[in-house]
Amino acid sequence: MKTATMTIDKAFQISAIDPRIYGSFIEHLGRAVYGGIYEPGHPKANAQGFRTDVIDLIKKLGVPVVRYPGGNFVSGFDWEDSIGPRDQRRHRLDLAWFTTETNEVGLHEFVDWCKQAGTEPMYAINLGTRGVDAARSIVEYANHKGGSYWSDLRIKNGAKEPFGIKLWCLGNEMDGPWQIGGKTAYEYGRIAKEAAKVMKWVDPSIELVACGSSHLDMPTFGDWELTMLNECYEHVDYVSLHRYYGNRDNNLPKYLARSLDMESFIHTVVAICDAVGGKKHSKKRLNLSFDEWNVWYHSNEQDQEVWKRDKWNRALPLLEDIYNFEDALLVGSLLISFLRNADRVKIACMAQLVNVIAPIMTRNGGGAWAQTIYWPLMQASKYGRGTALRVMVDSPVYACADYDNIPELDSTATLQDDGSLSIFAVNRSQKDPITLKADLRSFSGLEKYEHSVLHHDDIKAVNTEENPDNVKPVALKGGVLDNGRLEVVIPPLSWNVIHLKAD
Ligand code: AHR
């Protein structure tokens, strides 16, 4: 049988893990809000119209932060439309997704929902059609205690206490030709700097994310980061990265290696941030907000049909990817990549959370269930807190179109604050089980462990409302833990969490 060795030493630490790497995203897009988190009249809806079955799944998932309200949507959004009496809110055409936005759910409702779902808002401002003035007024509305026009309006609208929104995105994907009010790197860098200045003058405690390139394959990638950071470096705290993957050519070995692409993307953006910081003789170090990541490709054709049929309708069923087991394996590896880069990736948002390229699906009037990709995110969020460890792994490797030396066993480890240790591992091999031999002798007192495995014999298996537990982690027995040495078998094509603790 193939073997991989792993040496884990508690002295070799990468960084404290920012729990916000397990964040997610809700955009006013498709059925994310309307029919997703909000469906008045549904048997499980509460008095505010929020679906409690969805809230329960989100609480179990453990997402500390939720980006909102877009996405592409935000670049044409007037935030003032989303406050005040609901029956007087404007219905507007959303040019990002060719739908009608009714603003039934707005800022106050979303902040309330976050409290109910046990999460924090990460609020994106519009730097497409709006600018510095709207940027300062929304921070005043949301975070100022009172005694000014906008903060008093918030109080009049029912929220005496400020919302205290800590994390703000300065626009969305502003380099994209598809973006409403897209910008050149220089134009964006200028407006991001000026918006950042006034937002922090209103509330110096906030943190700001500047838009990096929409994705790694943008022709302007690299130059965009250099140019816009040259303008706004000292005024922002994070740079955003977005990346979606798909198994379009049905090539599993290649697909499962896509996390290497994500890691090289992260390393390149870190290098660019540090180059700009160095050039500016700055003492400040920027970190990364990977605030859109996931698999996204299953629903592309279906969306075209929806628009042909139903353009401008409300809550269109858009981007409703149905995820299979292979997608969950890639998602597992992408999470491992975040942990390996925990010193610089401080925020990451799986895009998105409900119905729209999401770990949670709902049926209007019906059930809510977890897709395959729910499980690795849920387990990483639960067991991957504390400190990311720098582990030495020696694994068999394979090669495919894009890379040589792809580890068959993709793995890392974290040390939880309670002293327990978690090992995360994806076996990318299609046929070979791998014996993992882990040397844990630097840890004393780890005497028992649980091994959870996500596997399905059918790589294309999915979860449905009728069969929601088709792909779900199960406990695996049969390994040995003896004197600081662990030996377990990692089945082919599987996501694994091994949690070790004192007796
Ligand atoms: O998450 C879906 C869309 O993908 C977002 O609106 C946009 O930012 C990205 O292109």
Side-chain angles (χ1 to χ4, degrees):
M1 191 182 309
K2 286 185 175 173
T3 298
T5 59
M6 178 183 242
T7 308
I8 311 178
D9 191 308
K10 62 171 183 272
F12 296 157
Q13 307 193 342
I14 297 174
S15 159
I17 298 162
D18 191 322
R20 296 176 299 178
I21 64 168
Y22 304 117
S24 191
F25 177 28
I26 295 261
E27 178 167 0
H28 279 257
L29 191 187
R31 295 192 308 122
V33 175
Y34 308 116
I37 63 170
Y38 176 80
E39 194 182 340
H42 186 280
K44 300 259 173 70
N46 61 21
Q48 286 171 283
F50 293 129
R51 282 186 63 159
T52 56
D53 51 350
V54 175
I55 286 177
D56 290 345
L57 278 165
I58 292 169
K59 280 185 163 163
K60 194 167 147 200
L61 187 57
V63 284
V65 73
V66 176
R67 185 166 174 255
Y68 174 87
N72 296 339
F73 168 79
V74 82
S75 298
F77 173 60
D78 291 327
W79 72 267
E80 303 87 338
D81 288 350
S82 79
I83 57 170
R86 267 176 164 174
D87 56 353
Q88 291 167 32
R89 292 187 195 163
R90 290 190 263 197
H91 294 196
R92 304 282 292 258
L93 291 190
D94 165 24
L95 305 187
W97 301 107
F98 306 109
T99 185
T100 298
E101 173 55 52
T102 57
N103 286 302
E104 288 155 78
V105 170
L107 179 57
H108 288 248
E109 292 79 23
F110 186 70
V111 168
D112 276 352
W113 176 84
C114 283
K115 285 187 192 130
Q116 294 172 35
T119 189
E120 292 278 333
M122 171 183 187
Y123 197 87
I125 64 159
N126 173 358
L127 289 183
T129 59
R130 304 294 295 275
V132 176
D133 190 36
R136 68 167 176 161
S137 5
I138 186 164
V139 180
E140 180 182 321
Y141 185 91
N143 286 6
H144 193 65
K145 61 182 187 314
S148 67
Y149 173 75
W150 288 111
S151 57
D152 286 346
L153 188 57
R154 180 198 70 239
I155 294 167
K156 185 170 159 231
N157 286 336
K160 184 161 181 309
E161 293 306 319
F163 297 143
I165 299 174
K166 174 96 183 145
L167 194 55
W168 298 75
C169 303
L170 297 167
N172 177 71
E173 296 189 350
M174 299 307 301
D175 60 332
W178 57 88
Q179 205 65 217
I180 305 165
K183 308 262 181 292
T184 65
Y186 178 71
E187 287 167 344
Y188 174 69
R190 287 286 306 126
I191 199 170
K193 173 184 174 179
E194 296 305 323
K197 262 167 47 184
V198 295
M199 290 167 82
K200 286 197 175 181
W201 283 341
V202 177
D203 181 353
S205 74
I206 61 176
E207 293 187 305
L208 299 175
V209 183
C211 289
S213 299
S214 304
H215 55 80
L216 189 52
D217 303 327
M218 292 298 286
T220 45
F221 172 69
D223 271 348
W224 171 273
E225 278 75 4
L226 283 167
T227 307
M228 70 91 182
L229 283 177
N230 203 32
E231 299 305 313
C232 66
Y233 187 92
E234 292 295 346
H235 300 269
V236 302
D237 305 287
Y238 306 92
V239 173
S240 76
L241 294 83
H242 291 181
R243 191 77 166 142
Y244 294 98
Y245 297 100
N247 189 4
R248 290 197 167 78
D249 46 5
N250 201 18
N251 179 338
L252 185 59
K254 181 174 153 199
Y255 183 52
L256 295 183
R258 296 298 279 153
S259 60
L260 277 72
D261 165 277
M262 177 185 262
E263 289 206 43
S264 107
F265 187 17
I266 290 170
H267 296 158
T268 310
V269 177
V270 165
I272 295 173
C273 289
D274 291 350
V276 176
K279 191 185 92 167
K280 288 179 173 292
H281 305 275
S282 176
K283 293 207 165 38
K284 180 171 187 172
R285 193 170 84 150
L286 295 192
N287 285 319
L288 308 191
S289 172
F290 214 122
D291 47 41
E292 286 189 34
W293 68 273
N294 204 349
V295 171
W296 173 14
Y297 78 107
H298 296 285
S299 63
N300 294 165
E301 281 171 26
Q302 189 183 307
D303 292 341
Q304 300 307 324
E305 293 305 311
V306 172
W307 278 314
K308 253 190 238 155
R309 206 175 53 230
D310 242 0
K311 200 169 169 188
W312 303 125
N313 229 328
R314 173 185 177 276
L316 301 175
L318 293 171
L319 281 63
E320 299 207 355
D321 275 45
I322 304 303
Y323 292 112
N324 59 32
F325 171 54
E326 69 187 10
D327 299 327
L329 292 177
L330 178 63
V331 161
S333 275
L334 298 174
L335 288 159
I336 287 173
S337 299
F338 291 141
L339 288 170
R340 269 202 286 264
N341 292 281
D343 54 336
R344 299 304 289 267
V345 179
K346 298 296 176 185
I347 302 157
C349 303
M350 176 186 266
Q352 298 192 11
L353 186 53
V354 186
N355 289 332
V356 172
I357 43 174
I360 297 168
M361 289 301 292
T362 70
R363 184 166 60 82
N364 293 347
W369 62 99
Q371 296 226 59
T372 60
I373 61 168
Y374 180 95
W375 297 110
L377 180 61
M378 184 273 219
Q379 292 188 312
S381 179
K382 182 168 178 193
Y383 295 106
R385 304 286 178 115
T387 304
L389 297 174
R390 193 174 304 285
V391 300
M392 296 302 297
V393 184
D394 190 6
S395 158
V397 293
Y398 70 98
C400 72
D402 292 335
Y403 300 95
D404 297 326
N405 296 322
I406 302 156
E408 286 189 334
L409 192 79
D410 184 20
S411 58
T412 196
T414 60
L415 178 60
Q416 309 254 100
D417 293 339
D418 64 3
S420 64
L421 178 72
S422 305
I423 298 174
F424 301 95
V426 171
N427 184 349
R428 292 177 169 126
S429 169
Q430 296 193 52
K431 54 179 191 353
D432 293 322
I434 297 177
T435 301
L436 171 63
K437 295 185 177 179
D439 181 342
L440 320 167
R441 283 173 298 164
S442 83
F443 298 88
S444 51
L446 294 179
E447 276 152 22
K448 57 180 194 180
Y449 75 94
E450 284 164 5
H451 181 177
S452 158
V453 180
L454 186 72
H455 172 78
H456 200 287
D457 288 340
D458 176 4
I459 194 74
K460 304 289 183 189
V462 299
N463 290 343
T464 59
E465 186 178 6
E466 296 72 34
N467 193 5
D469 296 332
N470 189 31
V471 182
K472 194 180 177 174
V474 294
L476 194 70
K477 301 249 181 273
V480 179
L481 176 61
D482 185 26
N483 267 329
R485 291 183 188 274
L486 173 75
E487 197 168 311
V488 289
V489 174
I490 308 290
L493 295 178
S494 62
W495 153 261
N496 300 258
V497 181
I498 301 160
H499 186 230
L500 299 108
K501 53 188 175 187
D503 206 357

mmCIF file of all heavy atoms in Angstrom, residues 25 27 29 67 71-73 97 172-173 178 242 244 292 296 319 351-352 357, ligand 1:
data_model
loop_
_atom_site.group_PDB
_atom_site.id
_atom_site.type_symbol
_atom_site.label_atom_id
_atom_site.label_comp_id
_atom_site.label_asym_id
_atom_site.label_seq_id
_atom_site.Cartn_x
_atom_site.Cartn_y
_atom_site.Cartn_z
ATOM 1 N N PHE A 25 -21.065 34.353 1.822
ATOM 2 C CA PHE A 25 -21.458 35.496 0.992
ATOM 3 C C PHE A 25 -22.930 35.353 0.630
ATOM 4 O O PHE A 25 -23.367 34.263 0.232
ATOM 5 C CB PHE A 25 -20.554 35.457 -0.252
ATOM 6 C CG PHE A 25 -20.788 36.477 -1.325
ATOM 7 C CD1 PHE A 25 -21.322 37.721 -1.060
ATOM 8 C CD2 PHE A 25 -20.413 36.191 -2.637
ATOM 9 C CE1 PHE A 25 -21.493 38.652 -2.069
ATOM 10 C CE2 PHE A 25 -20.576 37.103 -3.656
ATOM 11 C CZ PHE A 25 -21.124 38.338 -3.363
ATOM 12 N N GLU A 27 -25.557 37.489 -1.761
ATOM 13 C CA GLU A 27 -25.750 38.603 -2.690
ATOM 14 C C GLU A 27 -27.237 38.709 -3.014
ATOM 15 O O GLU A 27 -27.961 37.694 -3.013
ATOM 16 C CB GLU A 27 -24.937 38.336 -3.971
ATOM 17 C CG GLU A 27 -25.097 39.419 -5.026
ATOM 18 C CD GLU A 27 -24.063 39.317 -6.150
ATOM 19 O OE1 GLU A 27 -23.214 38.401 -6.119
ATOM 20 O OE2 GLU A 27 -24.109 40.167 -7.055
ATOM 21 N N LEU A 29 -29.088 38.229 -5.423
ATOM 22 C CA LEU A 29 -28.887 37.519 -6.702
ATOM 23 C C LEU A 29 -29.736 36.255 -6.626
ATOM 24 O O LEU A 29 -29.643 35.501 -5.641
ATOM 25 C CB LEU A 29 -27.409 37.146 -6.814
ATOM 26 C CG LEU A 29 -26.788 36.620 -8.102
ATOM 27 C CD1 LEU A 29 -25.363 36.179 -7.885
ATOM 28 C CD2 LEU A 29 -27.558 35.675 -8.928
ATOM 29 N N ARG A 67 -20.429 38.227 3.665
ATOM 30 C CA ARG A 67 -20.310 39.391 2.772
ATOM 31 C C ARG A 67 -21.679 39.674 2.161
ATOM 32 O O ARG A 67 -22.420 38.757 1.807
ATOM 33 C CB ARG A 67 -19.267 39.048 1.705
ATOM 34 C CG ARG A 67 -18.909 40.152 0.757
ATOM 35 C CD ARG A 67 -17.632 39.759 0.008
ATOM 36 N NE ARG A 67 -17.299 40.705 -1.013
ATOM 37 C CZ ARG A 67 -17.471 40.492 -2.320
ATOM 38 N NH1 ARG A 67 -17.967 39.345 -2.759
ATOM 39 N NH2 ARG A 67 -17.122 41.420 -3.188
ATOM 40 N N GLY A 71 -20.722 41.451 -4.406
ATOM 41 C CA GLY A 71 -21.087 40.975 -5.723
ATOM 42 C C GLY A 71 -21.402 42.086 -6.741
ATOM 43 O O GLY A 71 -21.394 43.295 -6.461
ATOM 44 N N ASN A 72 -21.565 41.605 -7.959
ATOM 45 C CA ASN A 72 -21.851 42.511 -9.069
ATOM 46 C C ASN A 72 -23.047 43.407 -8.768
ATOM 47 O O ASN A 72 -23.122 44.549 -9.237
ATOM 48 C CB ASN A 72 -22.118 41.707 -10.349
ATOM 49 C CG ASN A 72 -20.900 40.917 -10.798
ATOM 50 O OD1 ASN A 72 -19.768 41.235 -10.420
ATOM 51 N ND2 ASN A 72 -21.115 39.881 -11.589
ATOM 52 N N PHE A 73 -23.993 42.884 -8.015
ATOM 53 C CA PHE A 73 -25.207 43.638 -7.683
ATOM 54 C C PHE A 73 -24.873 44.991 -7.060
ATOM 55 O O PHE A 73 -25.515 46.011 -7.347
ATOM 56 C CB PHE A 73 -26.075 42.810 -6.725
ATOM 57 C CG PHE A 73 -27.193 43.574 -6.082
ATOM 58 C CD1 PHE A 73 -28.369 43.830 -6.778
ATOM 59 C CD2 PHE A 73 -27.068 44.059 -4.777
ATOM 60 C CE1 PHE A 73 -29.405 44.550 -6.188
ATOM 61 C CE2 PHE A 73 -28.102 44.776 -4.185
ATOM 62 C CZ PHE A 73 -29.272 45.022 -4.891
ATOM 63 N N TRP A 97 -27.802 41.299 -12.821
ATOM 64 C CA TRP A 97 -28.376 39.952 -12.967
ATOM 65 C C TRP A 97 -29.716 39.974 -13.708
ATOM 66 O O TRP A 97 -30.453 39.000 -13.686
ATOM 67 C CB TRP A 97 -28.509 39.282 -11.587
ATOM 68 C CG TRP A 97 -27.165 39.187 -10.920
ATOM 69 C CD1 TRP A 97 -26.716 39.925 -9.867
ATOM 70 C CD2 TRP A 97 -26.068 38.338 -11.298
ATOM 71 N NE1 TRP A 97 -25.421 39.600 -9.549
ATOM 72 C CE2 TRP A 97 -24.994 38.621 -10.413
ATOM 73 C CE3 TRP A 97 -25.870 37.372 -12.295
ATOM 74 C CZ2 TRP A 97 -23.760 37.962 -10.500
ATOM 75 C CZ3 TRP A 97 -24.635 36.722 -12.365
ATOM 76 C CH2 TRP A 97 -23.611 37.019 -11.477
ATOM 77 N N ASN A 172 -16.680 46.080 -5.815
ATOM 78 C CA ASN A 172 -16.586 44.670 -6.203
ATOM 79 C C ASN A 172 -16.057 44.539 -7.627
ATOM 80 O O ASN A 172 -16.583 45.184 -8.540
ATOM 81 C CB ASN A 172 -17.981 44.030 -6.140
ATOM 82 C CG ASN A 172 -17.973 42.587 -6.607
ATOM 83 O OD1 ASN A 172 -17.454 41.721 -5.909
ATOM 84 N ND2 ASN A 172 -18.539 42.327 -7.779
ATOM 85 N N GLU A 173 -15.037 43.726 -7.804
ATOM 86 C CA GLU A 173 -14.522 43.354 -9.138
ATOM 87 C C GLU A 173 -14.516 44.542 -10.105
ATOM 88 O O GLU A 173 -15.064 44.467 -11.210
ATOM 89 C CB GLU A 173 -15.326 42.184 -9.718
ATOM 90 C CG GLU A 173 -15.175 40.930 -8.891
ATOM 91 C CD GLU A 173 -15.771 39.677 -9.522
ATOM 92 O OE1 GLU A 173 -16.488 39.773 -10.529
ATOM 93 O OE2 GLU A 173 -15.510 38.592 -8.985
ATOM 94 N N TRP A 178 -17.773 43.459 -17.134
ATOM 95 C CA TRP A 178 -19.174 43.193 -16.817
ATOM 96 C C TRP A 178 -19.668 44.054 -15.645
ATOM 97 O O TRP A 178 -20.854 44.081 -15.343
ATOM 98 C CB TRP A 178 -19.356 41.711 -16.423
ATOM 99 C CG TRP A 178 -18.496 41.312 -15.262
ATOM 100 C CD1 TRP A 178 -18.794 41.412 -13.941
ATOM 101 C CD2 TRP A 178 -17.164 40.779 -15.325
ATOM 102 N NE1 TRP A 178 -17.740 40.984 -13.171
ATOM 103 C CE2 TRP A 178 -16.725 40.587 -13.996
ATOM 104 C CE3 TRP A 178 -16.305 40.450 -16.374
ATOM 105 C CZ2 TRP A 178 -15.462 40.071 -13.696
ATOM 106 C CZ3 TRP A 178 -15.045 39.936 -16.066
ATOM 107 C CH2 TRP A 178 -14.644 39.757 -14.747
ATOM 108 N N HIS A 242 -10.596 36.718 -5.961
ATOM 109 C CA HIS A 242 -11.773 35.934 -6.325
ATOM 110 C C HIS A 242 -11.326 34.818 -7.262
ATOM 111 O O HIS A 242 -10.517 35.061 -8.167
ATOM 112 C CB HIS A 242 -12.816 36.798 -7.063
ATOM 113 C CG HIS A 242 -13.474 37.827 -6.200
ATOM 114 N ND1 HIS A 242 -14.440 38.681 -6.675
ATOM 115 C CD2 HIS A 242 -13.321 38.142 -4.882
ATOM 116 C CE1 HIS A 242 -14.847 39.481 -5.698
ATOM 117 N NE2 HIS A 242 -14.172 39.176 -4.598
ATOM 118 N N TYR A 244 -13.034 31.011 -9.083
ATOM 119 C CA TYR A 244 -13.990 29.893 -9.158
ATOM 120 C C TYR A 244 -13.389 28.795 -10.023
ATOM 121 O O TYR A 244 -12.667 29.086 -10.982
ATOM 122 C CB TYR A 244 -15.308 30.358 -9.789
ATOM 123 C CG TYR A 244 -16.060 31.362 -8.944
ATOM 124 C CD1 TYR A 244 -15.967 32.730 -9.200
ATOM 125 C CD2 TYR A 244 -16.863 30.949 -7.892
ATOM 126 C CE1 TYR A 244 -16.654 33.656 -8.433
ATOM 127 C CE2 TYR A 244 -17.562 31.871 -7.117
ATOM 128 C CZ TYR A 244 -17.450 33.223 -7.394
ATOM 129 O OH TYR A 244 -18.138 34.137 -6.626
ATOM 130 N N GLU A 292 -14.312 35.724 -2.565
ATOM 131 C CA GLU A 292 -15.190 34.882 -3.391
ATOM 132 C C GLU A 292 -14.379 33.681 -3.843
ATOM 133 O O GLU A 292 -13.363 33.848 -4.537
ATOM 134 C CB GLU A 292 -15.714 35.635 -4.621
ATOM 135 C CG GLU A 292 -16.783 36.644 -4.286
ATOM 136 C CD GLU A 292 -17.455 37.220 -5.528
ATOM 137 O OE1 GLU A 292 -17.603 36.491 -6.537
ATOM 138 O OE2 GLU A 292 -17.817 38.410 -5.471
ATOM 139 N N TRP A 296 -17.873 26.774 -9.570
ATOM 140 C CA TRP A 296 -19.013 27.408 -10.253
ATOM 141 C C TRP A 296 -18.923 27.076 -11.726
ATOM 142 O O TRP A 296 -18.026 27.571 -12.404
ATOM 143 C CB TRP A 296 -18.985 28.926 -10.028
ATOM 144 C CG TRP A 296 -20.013 29.723 -10.808
ATOM 145 C CD1 TRP A 296 -21.116 29.253 -11.481
ATOM 146 C CD2 TRP A 296 -20.030 31.146 -10.982
ATOM 147 N NE1 TRP A 296 -21.812 30.288 -12.048
ATOM 148 C CE2 TRP A 296 -21.164 31.467 -11.766
ATOM 149 C CE3 TRP A 296 -19.203 32.179 -10.552
ATOM 150 C CZ2 TRP A 296 -21.483 32.776 -12.126
ATOM 151 C CZ3 TRP A 296 -19.521 33.481 -10.914
ATOM 152 C CH2 TRP A 296 -20.655 33.783 -11.686
ATOM 153 N N LEU A 319 -27.682 30.664 -11.050
ATOM 154 C CA LEU A 319 -26.441 30.131 -10.455
ATOM 155 C C LEU A 319 -26.736 28.999 -9.467
ATOM 156 O O LEU A 319 -26.079 28.879 -8.424
ATOM 157 C CB LEU A 319 -25.640 31.241 -9.750
ATOM 158 C CG LEU A 319 -24.779 32.200 -10.568
ATOM 159 C CD1 LEU A 319 -25.564 33.045 -11.541
ATOM 160 C CD2 LEU A 319 -23.966 33.118 -9.673
ATOM 161 N N ALA A 351 -18.373 31.519 -1.871
ATOM 162 C CA ALA A 351 -19.440 32.181 -2.605
ATOM 163 C C ALA A 351 -20.289 31.103 -3.266
ATOM 164 O O ALA A 351 -19.757 30.373 -4.080
ATOM 165 C CB ALA A 351 -18.850 33.121 -3.647
ATOM 166 N N GLN A 352 -21.528 31.099 -2.851
ATOM 167 C CA GLN A 352 -22.165 31.933 -1.845
ATOM 168 C C GLN A 352 -22.731 31.022 -0.749
ATOM 169 O O GLN A 352 -22.224 29.915 -0.596
ATOM 170 C CB GLN A 352 -23.224 32.802 -2.501
ATOM 171 C CG GLN A 352 -22.587 33.748 -3.546
ATOM 172 C CD GLN A 352 -23.504 34.858 -4.054
ATOM 173 O OE1 GLN A 352 -24.572 35.104 -3.519
ATOM 174 N NE2 GLN A 352 -23.090 35.541 -5.122
ATOM 175 N N ILE A 357 -24.787 29.209 -6.114
ATOM 176 C CA ILE A 357 -23.481 28.536 -5.946
ATOM 177 C C ILE A 357 -23.189 28.326 -4.445
ATOM 178 O O ILE A 357 -22.230 28.859 -3.896
ATOM 179 C CB ILE A 357 -22.335 29.278 -6.693
ATOM 180 C CG1 ILE A 357 -22.403 30.807 -6.529
ATOM 181 C CG2 ILE A 357 -22.294 28.894 -8.147
ATOM 182 C CD1 ILE A 357 -21.196 31.550 -7.151
HETATM 183 O O1 AHR B 1 -20.695 35.203 -6.869
HETATM 184 C C1 AHR B 1 -21.243 35.468 -8.122
HETATM 185 C C2 AHR B 1 -20.571 36.636 -8.830
HETATM 186 O O2 AHR B 1 -19.259 36.277 -9.150
HETATM 187 C C3 AHR B 1 -20.414 37.895 -8.025
HETATM 188 O O3 AHR B 1 -21.527 38.712 -8.097
HETATM 189 C C4 AHR B 1 -19.246 38.565 -8.684
HETATM 190 O O4 AHR B 1 -18.527 39.358 -7.806
HETATM 191 C C5 AHR B 1 -18.443 37.423 -9.256
HETATM 192 O O5 AHR B 1 -18.117 37.636 -10.576
#
